[in-house]
Amino acid sequence: MASCNTTKSRTVFAMDTVITIEAESEEIIDKIIKSTNKIDKALSFHNQESDLSKLNFNRSIKTTPILTNCIKIAYDYSLKTQGAFNSFPYCKYFSSAFDVSYFVILG
């Protein structure tokens, strides 16, 4: 009995790279693309309308939980690696007591 390959595939450009998504259905692929676009919208360095770009330019914004969580994770890695992976090398806003609300207004 021959096996039946029902995997669907779609290639998209998101997060500044080409991504090929393989899943069991087009519906699953659509959900993955929707999630990818949501992350890209919040975190794109090259899109001036993204939360990340607005934060870089304005130093305070109303933001999504995606950006806030990424900032917290980046800061935690900076602490855990004693600065080897420091996403904030020139940022004077951070001290040993991290307070993301200093320049990120949750909305």
Side-chain angles (χ1 to χ4, degrees):
M1 177 179 230
S3 72
C4 182
N5 184 356
T6 60
T7 302
K8 307 293 183 193
S9 176
R10 194 177 322 159
T11 301
V12 295
F13 184 79
M15 297 191 275
D16 296 323
T17 193
V18 176
I19 301 171
T20 300
I21 301 163
E22 293 182 355
E24 295 176 5
S25 71
E26 291 292 332
E27 181 180 289
I28 293 171
I29 292 174
D30 289 340
K31 287 180 182 180
I32 293 169
I33 291 172
K34 184 177 179 181
S35 294
T36 303
N37 288 338
K38 184 177 179 180
I39 294 167
D40 193 34
K41 184 177 186 243
L43 302 178
S44 175
F45 179 77
H46 301 289
N47 176 358
Q48 292 183 351
E49 297 301 313
S50 75
D51 290 345
L52 179 62
S53 290
K54 288 177 184 177
L55 177 61
N56 283 333
F57 289 117
N58 301 327
R59 297 288 186 235
S60 67
I61 62 166
K62 288 190 176 189
T63 188
T64 61
I66 293 172
L67 178 60
T68 303
N69 288 335
C70 284
I71 291 170
K72 288 179 180 179
I73 291 168
Y75 186 74
D76 287 345
Y77 274 102
S78 179
L79 292 178
K80 288 176 185 177
T81 63
Q82 299 177 347
F85 294 99
N86 185 0
S87 298
F88 316 100
Y90 306 108
C91 188
K92 64 182 178 182
Y93 302 107
F94 293 111
S95 65
S96 59
F98 178 63
D99 182 9
V100 70
S101 65
Y102 181 80
F103 66 103
V104 178
I105 302 167
L106 301 178

